[in-house]
């Protein structure tokens, strides 16, 4: 092992810690936590009570769901991460953060990003990519704040540290910062649009490639934003709270490197039985199952750190939070690999099992660790006693009961959904053909879920009151201790040397393996932050490239279909409305090749069907039925009435009122910009090249007028009448017409007759595949169903 010596005449440096920035991030953590949890409770209530939004478009489920996830992940957990890193890094490095100014820019920049999310997402300004919904100006701000402020400040602190070796928590912080930066940049490559009327972007990826890139990002956002930094938090604060060293140094090394390398491969398990290539799905499944081992290695390392200190758990609320949080981590990291196995995934995907799994991790693992850390930090940051240990105990028990009452009913709901979605009669027909039957069956579980979420919020409010009262008891002026340590440059280092093996009567190779397994070589990496960071980047990059490159470069992965053509300008605008309303949060557009799904929804989805979908809209949950073959199933009049009053045509539906779509004007002037953006992505619009781009607006107006004409015919010759004002409205200029145009198009290309002349113009080796023969009848022509002028 290396040795360090300090010359007696070495000048000692004086330094102090910047705890003010930690207090700022801790305060933000608590505030945003309550906000994020409250929005979640509103969403939980919106499912059994779909009219809860009162017809207000800004608080529909589809718009608020991404606000909730962003608030909990990036506002609550994010600020908690920063509080932990700013506190522990200074102590582990024996150095103040490199720049107080960068720390403040980081804090205020991150809060501005959160506020921007709160202002844009309810207005439907979204990219619709899960955990990456924020639009391009905010994406740029995230990159600047994360890399330019936070990253620079952290790594410069490592460079200027006074402690030679980097403790294990710092390893996880390094992996978090560099990997999140890589994930954010490559998942957010887009063509931006900025006009007086909209902020919009289209990702450079489409369909299968976009799905692969998104879940490479989405799964690893969970890995490197909600896992690795919290493991760093665990490795620092748990030994501090227990007053015990970490159980195993070698286990922490194995835990770290295997987690960093394996986690990055696991994304495709979110896409089992979809149009993603089979090899990619299998790869994701295999690495996800492998991920169970290092994950449980970390859990075991954490829990065994409490050896000899378990008696403290009964009296210390901090350790209670930590123990339950680590236990939830173990449960989630067992459940995740299990759900990645294709057999289990075939039933659980799209159900509420996923929601229970995610919340068990976010509220159980992340939430409990944050609150445990906050209770440990509060007396130290505010330099006074915790206001009430009894209130902390109450917070713990209320939150524990709340999270259990939240997830258990959702598991029950998932079992009911699986049973009703996939059950067949002895004659091979669907046992529950109406999707709404399954929706109504799980409503009682949604009541319990909302109750559990409410209890979790009550616990959080108790904690916030406790912290507030502790803060009120702070001294008039905080004491700022000054420490002394020699600069790192003055400390001599003896390079690490391998130990001697104690094994006898074995081969030389066995002795060499014994020496290697002592991991003496890792100590050298721990004093070289630049080398360590480069090794982390290599591990992440190799795994990412091996997963993603084949999908992008092998043509056979996404065979083309001759009948699949770009959306018309109006359909493109309607698709953007679909994205903005967050319809993907409730509806999938991916029919898997399973008997029950093809019987319920139609022909299974093909890779080539989504080649013009920027972004893809496959979804990850079914609160409503799949829409991949929705085009042509219903009349325009049916869709208008359905948006106005979903329960009128689907009794028991939990879809909210979308009557505002009949009132909001469609921005026809922006359509040429949308088409131009698609052209820059390679989508073929030869009819709109050059000076002909403005024709796209005229064509959109013409199609809107044609759909409106058909709507009136289907509505017994009557125009739309607003049910509240009683006034007639021309829908040809409203958003609803564009959305209907898109919905009527979805899934119909597969059933078109191929254009022989277009196919003959291609070289023989580039001729597109013909549309597959459908196993279900082609979608019917829209029925002329009358819609009443009055509801």
């Amino acid at each position: 092992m290396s040795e360090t010596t300090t010359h007696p005449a070495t000048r000692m440096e004086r330094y102090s810690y910047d705890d003010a920035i930690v207090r700022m991030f801790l305060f933000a953590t608590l505030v945003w936590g309550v906000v994020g949890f409250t929005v979640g409770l509103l969403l939980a209530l919106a499912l059994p009570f779909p009219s809860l939004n009162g017809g207000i478009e800004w608080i529909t489920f589809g718009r608020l769901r991404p606000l909730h996830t962003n608030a909990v992940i990036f506002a609550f957990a994010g600020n908690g991460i920063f509080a932990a890193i700013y506190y522990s890094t200074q102590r582990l490095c024996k150095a103040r953060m490199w720049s107080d100014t960068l720390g403040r820019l980081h804090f205020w920049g991150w809060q501005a990003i959160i506020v921007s999310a709160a202002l844009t997402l309810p207005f439907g300004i979204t990219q619709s990519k899960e955990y990456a919904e924020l639009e391009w100006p905010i994406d740029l701000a995230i990159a600047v704040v994360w890399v330019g402020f936070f990253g620079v400040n952290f790594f410069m602190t490592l460079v200027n540290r006074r402690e030679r070796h980097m403790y294990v928590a710092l390893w996880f912080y390094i992996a978090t910062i560099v990997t999140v930066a890589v994930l954010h940049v490559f998942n957010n490559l887009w063509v931006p649009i900025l006009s007086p009327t909209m902020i919009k972007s289209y990702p450079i990826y489409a369909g299968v490639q976009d799905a692969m890139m998104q879940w490479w990002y989405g799964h690893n956002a969970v890995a490197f934003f909600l896992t690795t930094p919290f493991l760093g938090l665990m490795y620092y604060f748990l030994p501090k709270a227990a007053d015990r060293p970490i159980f195993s140094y070698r286990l922490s090394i194995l835990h770290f490197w295997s987690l960093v390398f394996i986690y990055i491969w696991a994304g495709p398990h979110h896409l089992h039985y979809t149009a993603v290539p089979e090899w990619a799905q299998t790869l994701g499944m295999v690495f996800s199952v492998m991920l169970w081992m290092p994950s449980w290695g970390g859990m075991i390392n954490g829990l065994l750190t409490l050896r000899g200190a378990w008696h403290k758990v009964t009296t210390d609320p901090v350790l209670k939070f930590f123990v339950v949080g680590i236990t939830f981590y173990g449960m989630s990291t067992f459940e995740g690999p299990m759900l990645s196995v294709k057999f289990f995934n075939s039933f659980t995907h799209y159900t509420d099992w996923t929601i229970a799994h995610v919340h068990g991790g976010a509220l159980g693992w992340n939430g409990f660790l944050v609150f445990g850390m906050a209770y440990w930090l509060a007396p130290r940051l505010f330099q006074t006693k915790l206001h009430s240990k009894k209130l902390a105990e109450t917070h713990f028990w209320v939150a524990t009961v709340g999270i259990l009452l939240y997830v258990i009913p959702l598991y029950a709901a998932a079992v009911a959904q699986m049973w009703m979605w996939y059950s067949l009669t002895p004659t091979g027909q669907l046992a529950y053909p109406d999707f709404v039957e399954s929706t109504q069956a799980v409503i009682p579980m949604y009541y319990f879920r909302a109750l559990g979420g409410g209890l979790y919020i009550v616990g959080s409010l108790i904690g916030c009151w406790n912290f507030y009262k502790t803060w009120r008891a702070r001294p008039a002026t905080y004491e700022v201790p000054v420490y002394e340590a020699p600069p790192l440059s003055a400390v001599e280092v003896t390079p690490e040397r391998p130990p001697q093996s104690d094994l006898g009567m074995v081969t030389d190779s066995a002795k060499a393996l014994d020496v290697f397994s002592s991991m003496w070589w890792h100590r050298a990496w721990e004093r070289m932050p630049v080398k360590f960071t480069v090794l982390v980047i290599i591990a992440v990059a190799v795994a990412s490239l091996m997963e993603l490159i084949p999908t992008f470069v092998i043509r056979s992965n996404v065979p083309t279909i001759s009948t699949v053509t770009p959306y018309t300008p109006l359909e493109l605008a309607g698709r953007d409305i679909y994205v903005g309303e967050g319809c993907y949060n409730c509806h999938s557009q991916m029919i898997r090749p399973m008997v029950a799904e093809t019987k319920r929804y139609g022909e299974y989805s093909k890779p080539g069907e989504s080649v013009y979908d920027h972004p893809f809209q496959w979804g990850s949950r079914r609160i409503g039925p799949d829409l991949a073959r929705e085009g042509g199933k219903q009349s325009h009049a049916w869709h208008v009435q359905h948006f106005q009053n979903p329960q009128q045509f689907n009794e028991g539906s939990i879809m909210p009122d979308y009557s505002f779509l009949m009132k909001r004007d469609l921005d026809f002037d922006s359509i040429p910009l949308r088409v131009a953006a698609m052209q820059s992505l390679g989508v073929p619009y030869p009819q709109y090249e050059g000076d002909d781009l403005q024709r796209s607006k005229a064509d959109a107006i013409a199609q809107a007028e044609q759909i409106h004409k058909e709507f009136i015919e289907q509505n017994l010759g009557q125009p739309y009448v607003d049910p509240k004002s009683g006034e007639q409205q021309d829908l040809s200029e409203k958003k609803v017409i564009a959305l209907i145009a898109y919905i009527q198009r979805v899934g119909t290309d597969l059933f078109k007759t191929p254009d022989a002349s277009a196919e003959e113009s291609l070289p023989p080796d580039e001729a597109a595949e013909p549309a597959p023969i459908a196993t279900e009848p082609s979608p019917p022509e829209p029925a002329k169903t009358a819609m009443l002028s009055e509801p």
Side-chain angles (χ1 to χ4, degrees):
M1 297 300 173
S2 66
E3 296 179 358
T4 60
T5 57
T6 304
H7 193 279
T10 299
R11 178 179 59 85
M12 302 295 282
E13 293 183 343
R14 296 168 62 84
Y15 61 93
S16 60
Y17 299 134
D18 179 14
D19 285 341
I21 189 67
V22 184
R23 285 188 283 267
M24 293 165 68
F25 276 117
L26 183 61
F27 175 78
T29 300
L30 301 174
V31 170
W32 289 120
V34 172
V35 172
F37 303 153
T38 302
V39 176
L41 179 61
L42 179 61
L43 292 172
L45 291 171
L47 294 179
F49 304 105
S51 60
L52 189 65
N53 72 316
I56 302 173
E57 59 186 291
W58 304 292
I59 56 173
T60 58
F61 185 94
R63 292 200 191 183
L64 283 188
R65 195 257 183 176
L67 177 61
H68 165 61
T69 57
N70 278 266
V72 172
I73 295 173
F74 299 110
F76 168 66
N79 279 293
I81 290 168
F82 299 140
I85 292 177
Y86 274 88
Y87 184 87
S88 60
T89 297
Q90 296 183 85
R91 272 91 182 156
L92 293 172
C93 293
K94 291 183 180 177
R96 189 182 184 91
M97 295 305 293
W98 183 65
S99 170
D100 290 0
T101 300
L102 284 180
R104 273 58 182 178
L105 288 173
H106 175 199
F107 175 81
W108 290 112
W110 197 256
Q111 310 319 309
I113 288 166
I114 296 167
V115 172
S116 299
L119 293 176
T120 55
L121 292 173
F123 285 93
I125 302 173
T126 175
Q127 294 187 90
S128 83
K129 302 183 75 170
E130 219 159 336
Y131 316 135
E133 293 92 348
L134 304 181
E135 268 294 357
W136 66 269
I138 308 176
D139 283 341
L140 294 176
I142 292 172
V144 171
V145 172
W146 185 269
V147 177
F149 301 157
F150 177 43
V152 169
N153 206 9
F154 175 82
F155 283 107
M156 289 304 296
T157 304
L158 289 187
V159 171
N160 290 277
R161 71 195 187 283
R162 296 180 182 87
E163 178 65 41
R164 177 68 65 183
H165 284 87
M166 297 185 298
Y167 177 67
V168 57
L170 295 173
W171 313 347
F172 284 95
Y173 299 159
I174 290 170
T176 297
I177 294 171
V178 298
T179 309
V180 167
V182 171
L183 293 169
H184 176 73
V185 169
F186 286 96
N187 188 54
N188 287 290
L189 297 177
W190 24 244
V191 172
I193 300 176
L194 181 61
S195 76
T197 56
M198 70 172 181
I199 300 173
K200 183 66 185 169
S201 65
Y202 297 105
I204 66 172
Y205 321 104
V208 171
Q209 283 90 356
D210 192 39
M212 283 288 290
M213 181 59 71
Q214 160 57 25
W215 284 113
W216 168 77
Y217 165 88
H219 185 79
N220 291 302
V222 173
F224 290 93
F225 200 91
L226 296 180
T227 304
T228 55
F230 283 91
L231 289 169
L233 185 161
M234 179 196 78
Y235 274 112
Y236 181 83
F237 289 97
L238 178 63
K240 287 284 188 181
D243 196 23
R244 292 288 189 280
I246 199 68
F247 169 68
S248 171
Y249 166 72
R250 282 192 285 182
L251 185 55
S252 67
I253 295 174
L254 291 172
H255 176 209
F256 174 78
W257 287 107
S258 55
L259 200 70
V260 166
F261 183 74
I262 295 174
Y263 228 131
I264 212 78
W265 298 77
H269 78 231
H270 291 264
L271 300 166
H272 282 330
Y273 298 104
T274 66
V276 163
E278 185 73 20
W279 66 264
Q281 299 176 37
T282 302
L283 187 72
M285 178 184 70
V286 170
F287 276 88
S288 297
V289 173
M290 291 169 60
L291 194 58
W292 170 74
M293 293 179 285
S295 298
W296 269 39
M299 177 196 70
I300 291 169
N301 214 6
L303 292 179
L304 290 185
T305 298
L306 293 171
R307 290 185 311 165
W310 280 103
H311 62 282
K312 295 182 179 180
V313 177
T314 60
T315 58
D316 188 350
V318 172
L319 290 178
K320 281 186 171 69
F321 276 102
F322 282 156
V323 168
V324 171
I326 295 169
T327 303
F328 266 103
Y329 174 66
M331 293 168 56
S332 296
T333 52
F334 170 77
E335 189 179 32
M338 181 193 73
L339 295 177
S340 73
V341 176
K342 290 185 176 181
F343 172 76
F344 293 108
N345 187 274
S346 65
F347 295 104
T348 61
H349 195 54
Y350 295 123
T351 72
D352 282 324
W353 194 296
T354 304
I355 310 305
H357 169 62
V358 169
H359 283 78
L363 300 182
W365 158 240
N366 302 127
F368 273 63
L369 248 66
V370 166
F371 285 120
M373 176 194 71
Y375 277 112
W376 188 86
L377 281 176
R380 292 162 177 83
L381 291 178
F382 303 135
Q383 298 180 6
T384 186
K385 288 185 177 181
L386 181 68
H387 170 67
S388 172
K389 186 177 177 180
K390 187 174 182 181
L391 282 179
E393 294 274 358
T394 304
H395 176 187
F396 168 78
W397 288 111
V398 171
T400 300
V401 172
I403 188 60
L404 292 175
L405 193 57
Y406 186 103
V407 299
I408 293 173
L410 285 184
Y411 287 126
V415 172
Q417 290 166 331
M418 287 184 271
W419 177 262
M420 300 182 76
W421 290 355
Y422 301 111
S423 291
L424 300 175
T425 66
T427 59
Q429 302 304 310
L430 292 172
Y432 303 95
D434 190 349
F435 185 91
V436 174
E437 292 179 279
S438 66
T439 303
Q440 288 302 296
V442 301
I443 290 296
M445 277 73 96
Y446 286 165
Y447 294 142
F448 285 106
R449 170 210 188 169
L451 179 59
L455 285 175
Y456 196 91
I457 294 175
V458 169
S460 301
L461 291 173
I462 292 172
C464 289
W465 175 255
N466 207 358
F467 295 130
Y468 169 73
K469 295 293 287 184
T470 304
W471 173 78
R472 286 292 302 272
R474 71 194 186 283
T477 303
Y478 288 118
E479 180 184 353
V480 181
V482 177
Y483 305 93
E484 288 187 346
L488 207 59
S489 58
V491 180
E492 298 178 4
V493 178
T494 302
E496 289 79 9
R497 289 185 174 84
Q500 295 295 319
S501 176
D502 295 330
L503 298 179
M505 306 297 290
V506 297
T507 63
D508 290 341
S509 59
K511 290 183 178 180
L513 181 61
D514 179 50
V515 172
F516 179 83
S517 66
S518 69
M519 298 186 182
W520 64 272
W521 41 270
H522 199 269
R523 292 286 291 178
W525 296 4
E526 293 166 28
R527 57 182 172 83
M528 294 182 283
V530 175
K531 178 179 180 178
F532 196 96
T533 302
V534 169
L535 290 172
V536 170
I537 293 173
I538 290 173
V540 170
V542 168
S544 299
L545 293 175
M546 292 291 289
E547 176 189 336
L548 295 173
I549 285 180
T551 307
F552 283 77
V553 300
I554 300 175
R555 181 187 175 100
S556 61
N557 280 330
V558 189
T560 56
I561 300 174
S562 60
T563 55
V564 174
T565 57
Y567 297 106
T568 67
L570 185 66
E571 291 163 358
L572 180 61
R575 190 175 190 276
D576 289 344
I577 294 170
Y578 182 95
V579 167
E581 294 303 328
C583 301
Y584 62 91
N585 287 299
C586 300
H587 299 280
S588 59
Q589 283 188 26
M590 176 54 56
I591 303 171
R592 299 178 295 174
M594 302 173 183
V595 173
E597 291 210 9
T598 55
K599 281 184 172 294
R600 188 181 301 277
Y601 302 119
E603 175 70 9
Y604 69 90
S605 301
K606 310 297 189 295
E609 288 187 85
S610 55
V611 293
Y612 299 125
D613 284 353
H614 299 264
F616 80 112
Q617 291 293 289
W618 297 358
S620 58
R621 188 185 183 193
R622 286 175 182 156
I623 299 175
D626 187 275
L627 301 181
R629 297 279 176 248
E630 185 63 25
K633 285 187 176 181
Q634 306 292 346
S635 68
H636 305 328
W638 186 94
H639 282 294
V640 171
Q641 185 65 29
H642 185 240
F643 287 132
Q644 179 179 292
N645 188 352
Q647 287 72 33
Q648 181 170 334
F649 281 176
N650 284 304
E651 185 178 355
S653 170
I654 59 174
M655 179 176 167
D657 174 4
Y658 279 89
S659 58
F660 58 83
L661 291 171
M662 278 72 87
K663 302 174 184 177
R664 300 289 179 262
D665 290 334
L666 179 62
D667 183 11
F668 284 101
D669 291 335
S670 69
I671 287 179
L673 291 175
R674 301 174 195 268
V675 172
M678 285 292 158
Q679 288 175 319
S680 68
L681 292 168
V683 178
Y685 283 109
Q687 69 273 36
Y688 303 129
E689 293 290 343
D691 295 337
D692 292 329
L693 181 61
Q694 290 301 318
R695 281 184 48 203
S696 60
K697 176 182 176 181
D699 288 351
I701 293 173
Q703 186 180 5
E705 291 175 346
Q706 178 61 32
I707 292 175
H708 185 241
K709 178 181 177 182
E710 294 170 0
F711 158 74
I712 292 177
E713 292 175 356
Q714 296 163 5
N715 198 39
L716 303 178
Q718 298 295 317
Y720 175 77
V721 176
D722 184 274
K724 294 182 179 179
S725 66
E727 297 178 356
Q728 295 183 359
Q729 289 188 2
D730 181 356
L731 298 184
S732 64
E733 299 178 352
K734 304 301 180 183
K735 285 186 174 183
V736 68
I737 288 295
L739 183 55
I740 289 173
Y742 168 67
I743 291 175
Q744 296 289 30
R745 170 70 182 277
V746 173
T748 60
D749 281 6
L750 195 66
F751 304 97
K752 293 177 182 176
T753 302
D755 186 348
S757 61
E759 190 167 335
E760 289 172 1
S761 65
L762 293 172
D765 61 336
E766 294 186 10
E769 288 189 6
I773 298 175
T775 58
E776 296 288 329
S778 299
E781 291 296 320
K784 292 190 176 182
T785 305
M787 185 196 82
L788 299 178
S789 298
E790 298 290 341

